[in-house]
């Protein structure tokens, strides 16, 4: 099984900050990596797929990069609505594993 | 409207059976796979597996293989997650989600609202 790690586990930031979250895989994923945002009591919401493709309707302040085993999610100019938990997920044709999550808190 | 609508919360005892549902609307049901994701309240997301509603081909996570069963009814655009004998450790929120990993390389791009399963004696 592919194992996923994320860092940091918690991040304290202010509105307007640039935030970066890192996701690492135990083996190469190519670009089969997605990012989700989840708010309390809600289902996750897809932000980024194929490592760097922005999902339709997602604000352009969100961006993804990376390939192979290391990936990043960047939020430019953090907004009040962005305080949430973020998960990466590897997905290929036959499996999918989520990272443990990164909680973005208000500083 | 394109959506996945899940069945309501359940309260069960250990050893009981359970089948929860996920009804798709607004898109061709057999064009996408349906996945199931577990989330223990306050914890992270766990990928359980996926099912192709077209032919019921399934892929289970090793962690859930043999513990649950996926099924689908094309006639009513509904996918199911089933347990034959619940354990206390099955208590969680279960999400269904749509994916197209083979053709378009899409992860879970549409999610149900979640079904809370409580298991207690």
């Amino acid at each position: 099984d592919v194992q996923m790690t994320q860092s940091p586990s918690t991040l304290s930031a202010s509105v307007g900050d640039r935030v970066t979250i890192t996701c690492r895989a135990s083996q190469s994923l190519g670009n089969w990596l997605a990012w989700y945002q989840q708010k309390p009591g809600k289902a996750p919401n897809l932000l980024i797929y194929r490592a760097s493709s922005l999902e339709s309707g997602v604000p352009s302040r969100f961006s993804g990069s990376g390939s192979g085993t290391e990936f990043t999610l960047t939020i430019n100019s953090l907004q009040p609505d962005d305080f949430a938990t973020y998960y990466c997920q590897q997905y290929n044709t036959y499996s999918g594993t989520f990272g443990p999550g990164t909680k973005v808190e208000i500083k | 409207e394109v959506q996945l609508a899940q069945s309501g919360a359940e309260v069960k005892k250990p050893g009981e059976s359970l089948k929860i549902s996920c009804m798709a609307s607004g898109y061709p049901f057999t064009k996408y796979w349906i996945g199931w994701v577990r989330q223990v309240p306050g914890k992270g997301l766990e990928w359980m597996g996926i099912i192709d509603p077209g032919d019921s081909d399934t892929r289970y996570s090793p962690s859930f293989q043999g513990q649950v069963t996926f099924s689908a009814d094309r006639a009513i655009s509904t996918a199911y997650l089933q347990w034959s004998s619940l354990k206390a450790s099955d208590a969680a929120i279960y999400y269904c989600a749509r994916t197209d990993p083979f053709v378009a390389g899409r992860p879970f791009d549409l999610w149900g609202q979640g079904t809370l399963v409580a298991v207690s004696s």
Side-chain angles (χ1 to χ4, degrees):
Chain A
D1 265 9
V2 179
Q3 305 301 315
M4 306 297 292
T5 61
Q6 284 182 237
S7 61
S9 56
T10 305
L11 188 159
S12 295
S14 301
V15 172
D17 283 353
R18 184 171 187 255
V19 164
T20 299
I21 299 168
T22 299
C23 175
R24 291 185 175 87
S26 60
Q27 63 190 67
S28 180
L29 305 178
N31 67 347
W32 297 110
L33 192 284
W35 290 97
Y36 301 87
Q37 176 193 69
Q38 187 180 33
K39 296 181 180 179
K42 299 293 187 183
N45 183 49
L46 177 64
L47 300 174
I48 302 286
Y49 63 98
R50 286 193 180 174
S52 60
S53 295
L54 189 68
E55 176 69 352
S56 176
V58 174
S60 59
R61 62 180 179 273
F62 291 92
S63 63
S65 64
S67 66
T69 61
E70 188 160 329
F71 303 85
T72 59
L73 173 70
T74 299
I75 311 172
N76 283 304
S77 188
L78 198 67
Q79 297 301 299
D81 192 47
D82 300 337
F83 292 97
T85 300
Y86 294 85
Y87 295 93
C88 62
Q89 183 212 3
Q90 68 85 11
Y91 65 104
N92 64 29
T93 51
Y94 299 116
S95 74
T97 313
F98 290 94
T102 295
K103 186 174 183 180
V104 177
E105 297 180 327
I106 301 173
K107 194 176 211 178
Chain B
E1 182 186 2
V2 178
Q3 65 176 355
L4 296 172
Q6 296 187 232
S7 50
E10 300 275 0
V11 180
K12 292 288 188 180
K13 291 181 168 54
E16 291 187 331
S17 63
L18 176 63
K19 192 173 189 178
I20 63 174
S21 66
C22 170
M23 186 171 72
S25 59
Y27 74 91
F29 184 53
T30 57
K31 184 178 177 183
Y32 296 81
W33 290 57
I34 293 289
W36 290 95
V37 176
R38 183 173 81 176
Q39 186 170 41
V40 173
K43 302 298 184 183
L45 304 170
E46 298 175 86
W47 189 90
M48 301 176 68
I50 56 175
I51 180 169
D52 179 353
D55 61 5
S56 292
D57 186 14
T58 55
R59 299 285 185 267
Y60 292 97
S61 161
S63 300
F64 293 93
Q65 179 83 48
Q67 307 304 308
V68 297
T69 303
F70 304 152
S71 60
D73 186 336
R74 290 176 295 175
I76 56 172
S77 299
T78 300
Y80 300 96
L81 169 60
Q82 183 174 357
W83 295 260
S84 59
S85 179
L86 283 161
K87 309 179 187 67
S89 57
D90 293 319
I93 300 167
Y94 292 87
Y95 293 103
C96 63
R98 183 182 80 170
T99 181
D100 182 11
F102 293 87
V103 176
R106 300 275 295 168
F108 294 135
D109 65 357
L110 178 69
W111 292 70
Q113 81 275 21
T115 295
L116 177 64
V117 174
V119 184
S120 175
S121 54

